[in-house]
Amino acid sequence: MKLCKTISAIALVALLVVAVAAQEKQPPNQPNGGSAPSGAAPLMVIDSFTHDFGEVKAGRPLRYIFKVKNQGKADLVINNVSPG
């Protein structure tokens, strides 16, 4: 059970690192070719960083969806996601 939590936490951290790195590499796309207004920035909010799968039988694949929201004033662009 602790292993599942640890794996989930590592995967989520890897997701965040990739998302932030991708965000830094590319300038935001603006529909009219302009730049984002001063102070406008994406703000990634994640409801939960962990998930408890409970008891799991060996060999059973595990899946969980972490909800990611953008509460900022600019587009949040996630170009690539991969498990850690």
Side-chain angles (χ1 to χ4, degrees):
M1 187 160 79
K2 281 188 176 184
L3 179 61
C4 292
K5 285 183 182 180
T6 303
I7 291 171
S8 295
I10 291 171
L12 182 60
V13 169
L15 167 78
L16 293 175
V17 168
V18 170
V20 170
Q23 192 72 11
E24 290 176 358
K25 288 182 183 178
Q26 280 193 335
N29 294 333
Q30 297 295 323
N32 61 2
S35 62
S38 177
L43 176 63
M44 184 173 8
V45 176
I46 300 175
D47 293 338
S48 173
F49 288 95
T50 61
H51 176 73
D52 183 0
F53 286 99
E55 278 193 42
V56 178
K57 293 180 182 179
R60 179 176 170 223
L62 303 174
R63 296 180 82 186
Y64 183 76
I65 296 173
F66 289 93
K67 295 179 183 178
V68 178
K69 299 176 190 174
N70 179 16
Q71 292 185 346
K73 304 227 183 248
D75 290 342
L76 174 64
V77 180
I78 301 174
N79 293 320
N80 189 8
V81 178
S82 62

